[in-house]
């Protein structure tokens, strides 16, 4: 079967750095996406990785290791508005997205 | 403002009733998707359409049907609603199915079946 694993919840302090991990086992791999979802709102796109390595976008970076079936999202200089759920999704061999259950990130002052 | 519009925003429905959730996008995206999101679970794909005139079944299609008569509209129909279909439903679209094109989401429809 196909499986995406993420921690259910994480807590971090404003101004700090947090790393959210995602491991996956899917039938084929055609890219990995990270989305942010605030409570009661729609998911919004953050990043895309298809090759191994780090993609940096401002305060957010995403890393991929295809051989390990592993990705992480790194958030720097945390702000209160970063409190949200972070969703990892893998595009499988049928070009459909398989979604993790999401990691709820709580930012404390 | 370009994007995806879903209607209604929320609905309470009696079991056994028929319901159509509407989804319209104005970005001229070829691919569209319907997901349901339940607490503790990832988004699950119900149905998708790679281009106007075609549809496909996702992970959880039973009890749902879709149509794609044109590029912009992708309605989802519950023929006879059951309580297990209580969920938040998201419509999404992307330029194409593959490549680095992300999916863009509507604001969702919160559906309660009693």
């Amino acid at each position: 079967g196909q499986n995406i694993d993420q921690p259910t919840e994480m807590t971090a302090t404003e101004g700090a750095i947090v790393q959210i991990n995602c491991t996956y086992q899917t039938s084929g791999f055609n890219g990995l996406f990270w989305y942010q979802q605030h409570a009661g709102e729609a998911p919004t796109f953050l990043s895309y990785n298809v090759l191994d390595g780090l993609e940096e976008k401002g305060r957010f970076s995403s890393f991929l290791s295809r051989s390990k079936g592993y990705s992480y999202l790194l958030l720097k200089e945390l702000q209160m508005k970063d409190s949200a759920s972070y969703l990892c999704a893998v595009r499988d061999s049928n070009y459909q997205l398989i979604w993790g259950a999401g990691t709820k990130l709580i930012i404390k002052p | 403002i370009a994007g995806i519009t879903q209607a209604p925003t929320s609905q309470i429905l009696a079991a056994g009733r028929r319901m159509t959730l509407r989804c319209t996008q104005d970005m001229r995206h070829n691919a569209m998707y319907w997901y349901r999101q339940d607490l503790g679970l990832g988004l699950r794909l119900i149905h998708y359409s790679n281009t106007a005139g075609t549809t496909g079944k996702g992970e959880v299609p039973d009890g749902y049907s879709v149509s794609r008569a044109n590029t912009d509209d992708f309605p989802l129909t519950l023929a006879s609603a059951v309580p297990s279909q209580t969920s938040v439903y998201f419509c999404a679209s992307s330029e194409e199915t593959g490549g680095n094109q992300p999916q863009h989401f509507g604001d969702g429809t919160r559906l309660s079946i009693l």
Side-chain angles (χ1 to χ4, degrees), chain A:
Chain A
Q2 309 206 87
N3 197 49
I4 311 284
D5 284 320
Q6 309 178 232
T8 302
E9 187 174 295
M10 299 182 69
T11 302
T13 304
E14 191 177 14
I17 300 173
V18 70
Q19 177 175 312
I20 302 174
N21 295 326
C22 170
T23 58
Y24 63 88
Q25 289 180 310
T26 56
S27 57
F29 178 86
N30 285 296
L32 185 145
F33 294 81
W34 283 95
Y35 279 77
Q36 180 189 60
Q37 185 177 25
H38 285 100
E41 297 183 7
T44 56
F45 169 69
L46 286 178
S47 68
Y48 171 75
N49 295 71
V50 68
L51 300 176
D52 291 351
L54 189 69
E55 293 283 342
E56 297 188 78
K57 248 190 201 184
R59 294 190 297 114
F60 292 8
S61 303
S62 56
F63 171 84
L64 174 67
S65 169
R66 289 172 295 170
S67 63
K68 295 182 179 178
Y70 168 70
S71 173
Y72 67 72
L73 181 69
L74 192 71
L75 292 74
K76 304 175 186 175
E77 302 169 13
L78 286 170
Q79 302 174 10
M80 297 303 293
K81 67 178 182 180
D82 297 329
S83 291
S85 288
Y86 291 85
L87 316 181
C88 173
V90 172
R91 182 181 280 145
D92 69 6
S93 57
N94 293 318
Y95 286 89
Q96 299 304 335
L97 289 184
I98 308 300
W99 295 80
T103 299
K104 182 179 181 180
L105 178 63
I106 300 168
I107 310 297
K108 295 185 174 179

Side-chain angles (χ1 to χ4, degrees), chain B residues 7-8 11 13 17-21 76-81 109 111:
Chain B
Q11 183 78 42
L13 191 67
R17 298 296 296 270
R18 180 183 179 90
M19 175 75 190
T20 295
L21 308 186
L76 176 74
T77 297
L78 288 68
S80 179
T109 293
L111 187 61

Side-chain angles (χ1 to χ4, degrees), chain B residues 16-93:
Chain B
R17 298 296 296 270
R18 180 183 179 90
M19 175 75 190
T20 295
L21 308 186
R22 299 184 297 279
C23 175
T24 299
Q25 54 103 357
D26 60 3
M27 297 177 283
R28 307 304 296 172
H29 284 174
N30 282 315
M32 297 188 75
Y33 315 84
W34 273 105
Y35 292 95
R36 59 179 291 175
Q37 187 175 40
D38 301 291
L39 198 63
L41 297 177
L43 288 160
R44 291 184 291 169
L45 183 65
I46 304 170
H47 285 286
Y48 65 94
S49 170
N50 290 332
T51 189
T54 70
T55 63
K57 293 182 179 180
E59 180 187 356
V60 289
D62 294 343
Y64 306 95
S65 63
V66 292
S67 62
R68 186 89 185 276
N70 56 60
T71 297
D72 299 343
D73 301 300
F74 191 43
L76 176 74
T77 297
L78 288 68
S80 179
V82 295
S84 62
Q85 292 177 312
T86 293
S87 188
V88 180
Y89 290 86
F90 285 103
C91 180
S93 72

